[in-house]
Amino acid sequence: MVFTNLIFLYLFLPANLILYFVTKNQTYRNVVLVAFSLFFYAWGEPIWILLLLFSGTVDYLHGLIIEHFRGTKWMIFGVISSLIINLGLLSTFKYSGFFISNINSLFGSNLPLPSFGLPLGISFYTFQSISYVVDVYRGKVKAQRNYLTFMLYISLYHRLVAGPIVRYTDVAHELGREVPTFASMSAGIPRFCVGLVKKILVANYAGNLVGQYLTGDLTTLSVAEGWFGILMFSIQLYFDFSGYSDMALGLGQMFNCHYYENFQYPYIARSASEFWRRWHISLGSFFRDYVYIPMGGNRKRLYLNLLVVWLLTGLWHGASWNYVLWGLYYGVLIMLERLFLGKLLDKLPRLFSHLYLIFVTLVGWTLFYFEDFARLRQMFSVLFNWAAHPLWDAQLGFLIMNNIFWIVLSLAFCTPILPYIRHRLEDGASLRRKTFITYAQSAACLVMLALSTAMLVGESYNPFLYFKF
């Protein structure tokens, strides 16, 4: 099931809220949340719920083993065993087809490819499980003894299939003890509605334009059409994923669960390093704390550590060589920025460093989009005009003029313009003005929900892009 589904909006979520609030008994409430989370996950692909339960149960037991045998060699055995099982499951279900197809290509063999698909959200809940076991091993948090509470951490549907990757250390103090309030509900609903609009009114529309320019014959594109198509993919990806994160954070707030921000307006960054401090923050911090720093971080083998982390970041996004190339591309960029480019960018006027970031990001998303290397070469041929493509196409001019307001607003909403406006309105505001803002916000939520519903009626299934990771 997805958040942008009429069944979710008008049946699943209201039913969950009603059954949750029917009593104040916390155990009953936790049972309701876990039951709804498992139903949410099972919708469409019920078979993979067994894998989710298996993975959660294994790490619940490993946490107890590590806690019980703390200070002995069995504690080390517990964390190694958990890592082997978690990474083994991830490798089997996500990467086995990739490895086998490469072996077949290298050695001319004909090994059969696995026929199963990718379990939804496996990359996200596996990383959450790993962070839990490692943090118990490090003594940063005690093992959770209540199985229901632990499954609430692993399976909560707000963030189960596309993050953010929440660490147990960040939510342990409130896990299973959520007490929703009027204030938390008032904060969560607008955040959810904003995410809904970002996905349906911006990301999905941008996706249609992406399909128009990037899925057909690339050799017929003009240079401007090629860059426009990649720009639309940049908009689609940002509003799709950050919209999902907004909805996840909004749902969490409704139940008084608090997660860290996953996006901080990445396209206003001035370097690749800064971009990755603003984009998918929970993934970047995971690799920093569980791979980069344990390998030595900045203290030793800095550049090797960076390459390993960015190779893994690329692979995490998908079992395809273009993702590996995309990850290494950012690894090299960040290395260059640490060597000399960062100091140069700091000295340049902000406009030039922003243009640098936009350029390298668009090139990066080109690597990210095309899994087929032949089409990737064609696309770069268009973008950099290696084969004398026309520079402009009149049809593109008409399309831009017909969508100019949508394009301008989409680009504006990539910046923190709305928080800025809200801050200016609320700063020093009288009680009367604050009351008016509250009513205006409620009305805006209703409008956003109505618009989103109208767009969803008759629309075919349109999953979030990060579901496939």
Side-chain angles (χ1 to χ4, degrees):
M1 189 180 293
V2 296
F3 299 155
T4 53
N5 181 302
L6 293 176
I7 294 175
F8 176 85
L9 291 173
Y10 293 104
L11 290 177
F12 181 93
L13 185 56
N16 184 200
L17 289 169
I18 290 169
L19 290 177
Y20 184 87
F21 284 109
V22 77
T23 174
K24 292 184 178 179
N25 182 287
Q26 195 60 49
T27 301
Y28 164 82
R29 287 182 165 185
N30 293 340
V31 169
V32 167
L33 275 180
V34 171
F36 270 78
S37 296
L38 296 180
F39 181 78
F40 178 90
Y41 189 76
W43 186 273
E45 290 184 323
I47 184 66
W48 295 126
I49 201 170
L50 297 175
L51 184 65
L52 173 68
L53 290 171
F54 173 75
S55 178
T57 304
V58 162
D59 287 311
Y60 167 74
L61 294 174
H62 275 88
L64 294 178
I65 290 171
I66 293 168
E67 186 78 38
H68 183 74
F69 292 103
R70 184 167 299 283
T72 72
K73 64 181 180 182
W74 290 105
M75 181 180 78
I76 301 172
F77 167 80
V79 73
I80 292 176
S81 168
S82 170
L83 288 173
I84 290 173
I85 293 173
N86 277 301
L87 296 178
L89 288 174
L90 191 61
S91 300
T92 300
F93 287 99
K94 188 168 182 175
Y95 300 108
S96 56
F98 176 64
F99 292 139
I100 292 173
S101 63
N102 279 284
I103 289 171
N104 285 341
S105 298
L106 277 174
F107 301 105
S109 56
N110 194 26
L111 298 173
L113 294 172
S115 57
F116 48 76
L118 180 67
L120 204 60
I122 187 170
S123 301
F124 291 93
Y125 69 71
T126 298
F127 272 32
Q128 290 191 165
S129 283
I130 289 175
S131 73
Y132 165 75
V133 172
V134 172
D135 285 344
V136 171
Y137 170 77
R138 288 173 172 174
K140 294 176 70 175
V141 68
K142 289 192 176 297
Q144 176 56 254
R145 297 187 177 279
N146 187 308
Y147 180 71
L148 180 65
T149 305
F150 183 75
M151 286 311 297
L152 192 60
Y153 164 66
I154 292 295
S155 68
L156 195 55
Y157 70 86
H158 310 162
R159 48 182 166 70
L160 175 60
V161 293
I165 299 167
V166 173
R167 299 186 198 182
Y168 184 78
T169 50
D170 295 330
V171 296
H173 64 285
E174 62 185 15
L175 197 64
R177 296 189 287 271
E178 307 86 357
V179 183
T181 62
F182 178 77
S184 67
M185 192 64 74
S186 300
I189 291 174
R191 188 69 186 266
F192 180 85
C193 290
V194 167
L196 194 63
V197 165
K198 286 169 80 172
K199 166 62 178 169
I200 294 172
L201 298 188
V202 185
N204 286 0
Y205 191 75
N208 292 332
L209 297 176
V210 171
Q212 188 173 333
Y213 287 100
L214 301 188
T215 59
D217 183 359
L218 299 175
T219 61
T220 63
L221 293 179
S222 67
V223 175
E225 286 175 318
W227 284 106
F228 182 77
I230 289 299
L231 176 65
M232 290 301 104
F233 179 61
S234 306
I235 290 175
Q236 180 194 12
L237 196 57
Y238 171 65
F239 282 95
D240 189 287
F241 194 23
S242 70
Y244 180 92
S245 292
D246 284 333
M247 284 186 269
L249 266 65
L251 285 167
Q253 284 176 306
M254 287 185 209
F255 291 91
N256 215 4
C257 304
H258 301 91
Y259 315 132
Y260 287 116
E261 295 289 340
N262 209 23
F263 288 86
Q264 288 285 1
Y265 303 100
Y267 291 142
I268 67 169
R270 297 175 61 199
S271 65
S273 307
E274 184 186 356
F275 175 83
W276 277 100
R277 291 195 293 272
R278 294 171 174 272
W279 179 281
H280 202 174
I281 298 167
S282 61
L283 179 68
S285 63
F286 179 93
F287 277 119
R288 180 195 64 207
D289 294 343
Y290 297 98
V291 180
Y292 179 70
I293 292 177
M295 286 181 67
N298 299 336
R299 292 175 284 107
K300 55 182 180 181
R301 302 188 301 270
L302 166 64
Y303 298 111
L304 174 64
N305 299 342
L306 283 174
L307 282 179
V308 170
V309 165
W310 286 101
L311 171 68
L312 294 176
T313 301
L315 267 177
W316 182 91
H317 282 81
S320 173
W321 284 111
N322 70 304
Y323 295 115
V324 175
L325 191 59
W326 172 75
L328 292 175
Y329 166 78
Y330 272 104
V332 171
L333 277 178
I334 291 171
M335 284 169 56
L336 292 176
E337 289 177 3
R338 284 185 177 240
L339 283 170
F340 68 94
L341 194 53
K343 293 179 181 175
L344 178 63
L345 291 170
D346 287 339
K347 293 177 181 176
L348 289 174
R350 297 180 69 88
L351 174 64
F352 291 103
S353 50
H354 282 309
L355 289 176
Y356 156 79
L357 184 276
I358 296 300
F359 174 75
V360 299
T361 303
L362 291 178
V363 172
W365 290 142
T366 307
L367 296 170
F368 191 88
Y369 182 84
F370 292 98
E371 295 186 4
D372 182 332
F373 271 42
R375 286 179 62 78
L376 180 62
R377 281 195 299 272
Q378 285 180 349
M379 193 62 201
F380 276 123
S381 171
V382 172
L383 295 178
F384 296 102
N385 207 15
W386 293 337
H389 290 272
L391 295 178
W392 181 259
D393 182 272
Q395 290 295 327
L396 176 62
F398 291 129
L399 184 139
I400 291 175
M401 291 308 298
N402 288 335
N403 295 277
I404 189 66
F405 291 110
W406 178 87
I407 292 172
V408 170
L409 286 175
S410 299
L411 294 176
F413 291 148
C414 290
T415 71
I417 187 170
L418 285 181
Y420 173 78
I421 293 173
R422 184 180 181 114
H423 174 72
R424 292 300 299 267
L425 288 173
E426 292 183 343
D427 187 29
S430 63
L431 180 61
R432 184 177 180 183
R433 185 194 280 186
K434 287 182 178 177
T435 304
F436 173 78
I437 292 172
T438 302
Y439 282 124
Q441 179 176 278
S442 302
C445 287
L446 289 174
V447 171
M448 286 190 285
L449 186 60
L451 281 174
S452 300
T453 301
M455 294 291 290
L456 283 173
V457 172
E459 188 179 72
S460 56
Y461 177 63
N462 199 339
F464 291 88
L465 293 177
Y466 261 67
F467 273 24
K468 67 177 181 178
F469 302 138

